Amino acid sequence: MLRRFSGLVLLLSSPALLACGGGSEPPGPAPTSESSLPGPDEFPTPGDPFAKDGPDRQHRSALRAADRALSSLAQHRTGHYQTRMVLPGLSIAFEGDYDIARKSSTNRVTFRAEGDPSIELQMVSVDQRIWLTLADAATSDDPDSCWLLLDADLIEEETGIPLPTLSGVPAAVAVVDQARPVSVQRGSGQVTATAPLGLVAGTTTQTLADNLGIPPRSTIEVQVDVDVFDGEVTGLSTYMDSIHVAALDAGYEPRSEVLDTPGLLSGYSVDTTFTARGLPVSITAPPHDQVVPFTTGRGLDGALSACQGRVSPRGA
């Protein structure tokens, strides 16, 4: 099973994966919910929605309400999230809690490759440090648990693969916080907004952003859709094709000629839902005696095997 996990990480880093069909159907649009946001049926995108000579008063009111809703997600500081992305032949789901003030999160990650059983991992991140274990040994208060302390630079040196962006709070939270609303659709609860490309690309995997040549701090704006209900953000959808096209338009150089073709990622989205906003969360680093640092020379599979091999199953 561990060998298959490394194989999935390799798939995530491969531009060739993006060029094959893999038998997976692109996901449909994210569901929306009714909202209390005011606004006409659909406004055109304004150059500056808050300028005195901008759109009419109703439009500005709708955009201001949307802006307050988007800002409120980070103001709650804590919450629960679920993210799902679908690639050809592979789906990845993330679920967990986050704490913005502590720059921490828990992430249960499920990989489902076509034709293979799913693989589940658990990650805990506290202030840019990441611990990983198999999901069946994922409770930090279990004395039989064993966690790898990941070092992104060492893993890239060992495998040539950058880790997915999982440290700190989920990228989707940062995207919503920095998104700028540009239109509101009445009755659907959907806000069309723009956000910095570097952040939006982080909602996928860091490997996709790297393969497209996107700098992490790229401030080029790209479209996202945010679902709002009763003044609160409930969901975010980002679009791989929009990320791809924006990177090409900006002149960023992909690592593979495969990614020189616009439209390659059309129909693929990353969809996140937000719940339990503002409720208490408990995110703690695993105890020191349950942690094995990742070191070079064994690979990720070898490190996970060594970690699991140094403890006895509960009750044994």
Side-chain angles (χ1 to χ4, degrees):
M1 180 169 69
L2 298 179
R3 188 175 295 113
R4 289 204 343 269
F5 167 65
S6 284
L8 289 176
V9 178
L10 284 168
L11 285 175
L12 285 174
S13 69
S14 173
L17 170 71
L18 305 176
C20 65
S24 294
E25 292 295 328
T32 58
S33 54
E34 291 189 0
S35 169
S36 58
L37 288 175
D41 290 340
E42 182 90 41
F43 288 104
T45 301
D48 183 355
F50 304 120
K52 289 183 179 179
D53 57 350
D56 61 29
R57 182 177 300 176
Q58 186 184 16
H59 190 184
R60 293 197 301 271
S61 175
L63 291 173
R64 289 185 188 280
D67 193 53
R68 288 193 298 271
L70 269 56
S71 298
S72 70
L73 184 68
Q75 291 169 359
H76 286 305
R77 305 178 75 85
T78 60
H80 186 84
Y81 82 103
Q82 293 177 293
T83 292
R84 183 171 182 262
M85 70 181 77
V86 178
L87 296 169
L90 175 67
S91 68
I92 312 169
F94 303 87
E95 180 174 6
D97 298 323
Y98 59 87
D99 184 330
I100 294 173
R102 295 188 63 220
K103 298 180 181 178
S104 62
S105 62
T106 61
N107 302 276
R108 189 179 185 92
V109 189
T110 303
F111 298 87
R112 289 189 174 89
E114 186 176 359
D116 284 325
S118 63
I119 297 173
E120 293 190 357
L121 304 169
Q122 184 80 9
M123 286 186 172
V124 174
S125 175
V126 178
D127 197 19
Q128 307 303 310
R129 305 187 80 193
I130 306 173
W131 295 264
L132 175 147
T133 189
L134 297 173
D136 59 2
T139 56
S140 60
D141 59 351
D142 182 346
D144 293 335
S145 294
C146 183
W147 298 74
L148 278 184
L149 174 60
L150 302 183
D151 182 302
D153 292 337
L154 281 179
I155 287 183
E156 184 167 1
E157 177 185 332
E158 180 77 6
T159 67
I161 303 165
L163 276 178
T165 304
L166 287 174
S167 60
V169 299
V173 176
V175 169
V176 172
D177 184 49
Q178 296 198 29
R180 178 180 176 83
V182 293
S183 68
V184 178
Q185 189 169 0
R186 180 190 289 278
S188 71
Q190 188 173 81
V191 175
T192 298
T194 60
L197 177 60
L199 284 179
V200 176
T203 65
T204 60
T205 65
Q206 187 59 49
T207 50
L208 176 60
D210 289 341
N211 284 327
L212 290 172
I214 299 173
R217 298 188 181 276
S218 174
T219 57
I220 293 168
E221 295 288 303
V222 64
Q223 179 181 319
V224 299
D225 288 328
V226 185
D227 294 328
V228 176
F229 178 75
D230 199 21
E232 299 280 0
V233 172
T234 59
L236 170 73
S237 292
T238 64
Y239 304 99
M240 294 187 187
D241 191 49
S242 296
I243 296 168
H244 186 196
V245 170
L248 295 177
D249 288 348
Y252 300 142
E253 296 185 4
R255 292 186 176 183
S256 169
E257 293 182 359
V258 172
L259 292 170
D260 286 335
T261 306
L264 185 67
L265 301 177
S266 180
Y268 294 97
S269 63
V270 181
D271 301 309
T272 301
T273 59
F274 302 101
T275 56
R277 296 166 295 272
L279 296 182
V281 299
S282 176
I283 302 172
T284 58
H288 180 74
D289 61 359
Q290 296 179 23
V291 174
V292 175
F294 176 85
T295 56
T296 58
R298 359 172 113 155
L300 191 55
D301 280 355
L304 278 167
S305 295
C307 186
Q308 297 299 318
R310 69 188 288 265
V311 296
S312 300
R314 178 178 286 280

